[in-house]
């Protein structure tokens, strides 16, 4: 953003549609249009402050320093603007201090969670609600679904109709927030609270389902059930098959689908948006949605609840797998969420669901080494399992700084008469690629203990020889390893 003096005739503010006259100071914001081309959007200063509070405050600082404009230029209401910008940025900073934050930690190659720096109490002086010209509060709605993607015609149409990302009803000005995540949940601006959620899929038969992870996170954070805005449905009223289909989908994502209001639109148009915001007025009571203080723990708690209650379609279904549920947790180390995922792994092991348990173990978010031991012991005795233990061994070694191969050898059954060909191939791969020089004596002992099985003996002997040769080569300075 930058403050400029209008010198090329008049234009209109993309937020309020009022004229920006020749000779008037305005704000220009860089953006991308529906065709993915850069555009510059003109805004009145007060509108820019609502559209991008931090960006507008920074632009004012640059303006005062004579950057991207003339420092000798003033504009009407500048003092009030500066005071409001300061108040709003303080409110945002305070909100951010009320939540756990992630701090990069090179020692673990991920992030650690730091507790909030401030108690969770809003300061009335820094909330200063944002209003449009008609006095309507400016509020936010979280949006997900295939129809809001700018890779599709519907998403590009939405973007072109909402250059300032908002559309007003008689009651409120709604901001459509399409970028949400557990890492940066956009509830940090008390002047523009989140009041609801919207799921807008392309509802034609056979369309791709998107936004599952977003909606699952909303549910875990306690956000109200979304409005279902079904795009591509020709009926003016919700048709039964579409309503049933997407309400069932919401159940997969963590909501009671029967609580979701349904609205249909053949295309995204101004009239359709008018109808949508009227439905939002009726559906949302204006209460603010806040993310939990520790969002990662909230996600882990919801996963634990689904596993405990055996709601398998929420972590084993076609649209929301355990991998999706774990993604926000896997690069964040947090004692509370890790303790909860320990419980999740233990419950899956109690049921002998080894593949799902392995996904938790490989994510390096299970800190109980007993879970690794239980998993390996079960893996050896489950002859129908085809999940490789190589990633589990590697994850154990990274977490506990102990030889994963050593753990494997300690828990390996003896004798190996009942070992399957698949298990034998996996054993060979681990011994060949993951063992160290310190593991070689134990591997030799394993060979001696299992020598009564010819196939096993030949496989382990070859792995031992190849690994020994590789270790010697790695230690040779001429090969660049010292």
């Amino acid at each position: 953003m930058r403050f400029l003096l209008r010198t090329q005739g008049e234009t209109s503010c993309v937020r309020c549609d009022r004229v920006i006259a020749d000779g008037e100071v305005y704000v220009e914001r860089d953006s991308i249009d529906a065709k993915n081309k850069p555009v510059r959007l003109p805004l009145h200063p007060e509108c820019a402050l609502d559209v991008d509070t931090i960006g507008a405050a920074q632009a004012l600082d640059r303006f005062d320093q004579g950057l991207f404009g003339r420092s000798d230029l003033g504009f009407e209401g500048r003092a009030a603007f500066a005071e409001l910008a300061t108040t709003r940025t303080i409110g945002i900073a305070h909100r951010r201090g009320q939540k756990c934050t992630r701090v990069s930690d090179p020692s673990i190659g991920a992030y650690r969670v730091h507790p909030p720096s401030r108690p969770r109490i809003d300061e009335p002086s820094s909330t200063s609600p944002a209003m449009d010209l008609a006095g309507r509060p400016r509020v936010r709605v979280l949006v997900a679904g295939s129809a809001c993607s700018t890779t599709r015609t519907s998403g590009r149409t939405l973007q072109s109709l909402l250059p300032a990302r908002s559309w007003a009803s008689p009651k409120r000005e709604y901001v459509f927030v399409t970028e949400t995540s557990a890492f940066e949940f956009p509830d940090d601006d008390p002047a523009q609270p989140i009041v609801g959620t919207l799921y807008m899929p392309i509802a034609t038969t056979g369309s791709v389902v998107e936004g599952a992870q977003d909606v699952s996170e909303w549910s875990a954070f306690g956000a109200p059930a979304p409005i279902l805005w079904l795009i591509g449905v020709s009926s003016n009223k919700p048709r039964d098959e579409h309503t049933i289909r997407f309400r069932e989908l919401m159940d997969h994502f963590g909501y009671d689908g029967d609580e979701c209001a349904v609205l249909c639109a053949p295309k995204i148009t101004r009239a359709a948006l008018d109808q949508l915001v009227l439905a939002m007025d009726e559906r949302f009571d204006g209460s603010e949605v806040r993310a939990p203080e520790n969002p990662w723990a909230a996600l882990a708690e919801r996963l634990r609840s689904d596993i405990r209650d055996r709601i398998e379609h929420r972590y084993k279904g076609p649209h929301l797998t355990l991998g999706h549920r774990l993604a926000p947790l896997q690069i964040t180390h947090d004692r509370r969420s890790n303790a909860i995922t320990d419980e999740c792994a233990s419950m899956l092991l109690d049921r002998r669901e080894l593949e799902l348990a392995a996904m938790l173990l490989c994510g390096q978010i299970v800190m109980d080494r007993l879970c690794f031991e239980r998993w390996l012991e079960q893996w050896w005795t489950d002859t129908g399992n085809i999940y490789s233990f190589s990633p589990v061994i590697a994850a154990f070694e990274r977490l506990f700084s102990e030889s994963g191969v050593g753990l494997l050898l300690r828990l390996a059954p003896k004798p190996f008469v009942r070992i399957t060909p698949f298990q034998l191939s996996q054993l060979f791969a681990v011994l060949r690629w993951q063992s160290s020089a310190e593991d070689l004596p134990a591997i030799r002992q394993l060979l001696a203990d299992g020598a009564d099985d010819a196939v096993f003996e030949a496989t382990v002997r070859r792995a031992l020889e190849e690994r020994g040769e590789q270790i010697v080569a790695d230690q040779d300075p001429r090969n660049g390893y010292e």
Side-chain angles (χ1 to χ4, degrees):
M1 280 188 170
R2 51 193 163 271
F3 279 79
L4 298 171
L5 180 67
R6 187 71 189 172
T7 59
Q8 298 178 357
E10 65 181 32
T11 187
S12 296
C13 172
V14 296
R15 189 268 181 108
C16 68
D17 206 32
R18 288 180 300 153
V19 170
I20 300 174
D22 195 338
E24 186 176 353
V25 172
Y26 72 105
V27 177
E28 189 174 70
R29 184 176 191 237
D30 292 330
S31 185
I32 302 294
D33 68 9
K35 296 182 179 179
N36 205 31
K37 295 181 179 180
V39 293
R40 293 177 175 178
L41 304 177
L43 292 152
H44 287 107
E46 60 270 26
C47 289
L49 189 62
D50 287 344
V51 171
D52 183 353
T53 302
I54 299 300
Q58 293 173 342
L60 182 64
D61 288 339
R62 292 192 294 269
F63 177 76
D64 289 342
Q65 296 169 23
L67 303 175
F68 306 110
R70 290 167 48 190
S71 61
D72 61 327
L73 286 174
F75 59 90
E76 185 178 353
R78 186 208 169 285
F81 176 90
E83 181 179 357
L84 183 57
T86 299
T87 300
R88 292 267 189 89
T89 53
I90 289 174
I92 291 173
H94 187 85
R95 275 285 181 91
R96 290 177 177 174
Q98 294 176 340
K99 297 191 290 186
C100 289
T101 56
R102 296 194 313 157
V103 179
S104 179
D105 187 339
S107 67
I108 59 173
Y111 297 87
R112 290 193 186 276
V113 172
H114 281 209
S117 60
R118 300 179 182 181
R120 196 164 201 175
I121 302 174
D122 283 332
E123 297 176 356
S125 62
S126 66
T127 54
S128 183
M131 301 280 186
D132 69 2
L133 288 176
R136 294 169 292 200
R138 181 177 169 91
V139 297
R140 302 185 182 203
V141 175
L142 306 181
V143 183
S146 56
C148 68
S149 171
T150 54
T151 63
R152 295 178 171 85
T153 300
S154 58
R156 292 191 291 272
T157 300
L158 183 68
Q159 184 180 22
S160 64
L161 289 171
L162 307 176
R165 308 185 72 179
S166 62
W167 198 266
S169 74
K171 190 174 183 179
R172 305 183 183 102
E173 180 189 11
Y174 292 99
V175 181
F176 289 62
V177 182
T178 55
E179 300 87 14
T180 65
S181 74
F183 306 136
E184 296 182 13
F185 194 77
D187 64 344
D188 59 356
D189 189 351
Q192 304 181 58
I194 299 169
V195 299
T197 57
L198 171 68
Y199 185 69
M200 47 180 297
I202 297 174
T204 52
T205 302
S207 58
V208 176
V209 173
E210 295 179 4
Q213 190 167 331
D214 292 320
V215 180
S216 176
E217 289 171 2
W218 301 345
S219 175
F221 295 162
I227 292 175
L228 302 181
W229 195 30
L230 308 184
I231 306 301
V233 178
S234 59
S235 174
N236 291 326
K237 297 181 180 179
R239 286 162 48 180
D240 289 344
E241 65 266 29
H242 296 294
T243 299
I244 293 171
R245 173 188 169 197
F246 284 99
R247 280 181 169 164
E248 287 179 349
L249 197 62
M250 289 299 103
D251 185 64
H252 282 248
F253 297 168
Y255 283 102
D256 180 350
D258 291 337
E259 295 181 358
C260 298
V262 181
L263 199 65
C264 297
K267 295 181 180 179
I268 297 177
T269 62
R270 292 179 176 274
L273 284 168
D274 287 339
Q275 187 180 14
L276 173 64
V277 293
L278 287 175
M280 290 180 176
D281 282 347
E282 182 178 346
R283 186 69 175 176
F284 306 144
D285 62 8
S287 301
E288 184 178 10
V289 176
R290 293 289 306 277
E293 184 180 277
N294 186 330
W296 300 279
L299 295 175
E301 287 171 352
R302 174 56 67 89
L303 178 62
R304 176 178 59 185
S305 174
D306 288 342
I307 292 175
R308 181 184 59 235
D309 297 339
R310 295 179 182 268
I311 310 178
E312 296 185 352
H313 57 272
R314 292 185 181 172
Y315 60 91
K316 292 174 64 175
H319 306 300
L320 193 63
T321 64
L322 184 59
H324 289 119
R325 302 286 295 273
L326 295 179
L329 305 173
Q330 287 181 319
I331 57 173
T332 301
H333 278 256
D334 170 51
R335 289 184 179 180
R336 184 175 165 192
S337 60
N338 287 344
I340 295 170
T341 50
D342 284 356
E343 293 183 47
C344 292
S346 183
M347 285 189 286
L348 292 172
L349 288 168
D350 289 343
R351 303 175 198 168
R352 298 187 72 87
E353 297 185 55
L354 299 188
E355 185 167 353
L356 292 177
M359 294 178 70
L360 284 164
L361 298 178
C362 296
Q364 299 186 66
I365 53 178
V366 174
M367 309 307 290
D368 184 356
R369 60 177 296 147
L370 179 61
C371 288
F372 286 83
E373 296 184 6
R374 290 181 61 197
W375 187 90
L376 278 167
E377 288 172 342
Q378 290 187 24
W379 193 93
W380 281 115
T381 58
D382 186 354
T383 56
N385 182 53
I386 59 171
Y387 192 87
S388 168
F389 54 50
S390 294
V392 176
I393 296 301
F396 175 86
E397 194 162 308
R398 286 193 295 268
L399 279 176
F400 300 102
S401 300
E402 299 177 28
S403 170
V405 173
L407 175 71
L408 169 65
L409 299 180
R410 180 168 64 81
L411 297 176
K414 303 178 181 62
F416 289 87
V417 176
R418 296 183 59 189
I419 191 169
T420 66
F422 174 77
Q423 289 173 324
L424 193 59
S425 69
Q426 293 301 308
L427 178 65
F428 171 80
V430 170
L431 298 183
R432 173 65 180 84
W433 295 107
Q434 295 188 27
S435 57
S436 65
E438 290 75 18
D439 294 319
L440 294 183
I443 298 174
R444 292 192 178 94
Q445 185 61 48
L446 178 70
L447 179 62
D449 292 343
D452 58 332
D453 185 280
V455 176
F456 171 79
E457 178 182 2
T459 300
V460 176
R461 188 179 300 281
R462 184 162 64 92
L464 176 63
E465 291 172 352
E466 292 188 13
R467 186 53 180 159
E469 292 171 0
Q470 186 64 49
I471 290 173
V472 171
D474 290 349
Q475 295 173 343
D476 189 337
R478 293 174 298 180
N479 293 330
Y481 303 97
E482 294 188 83

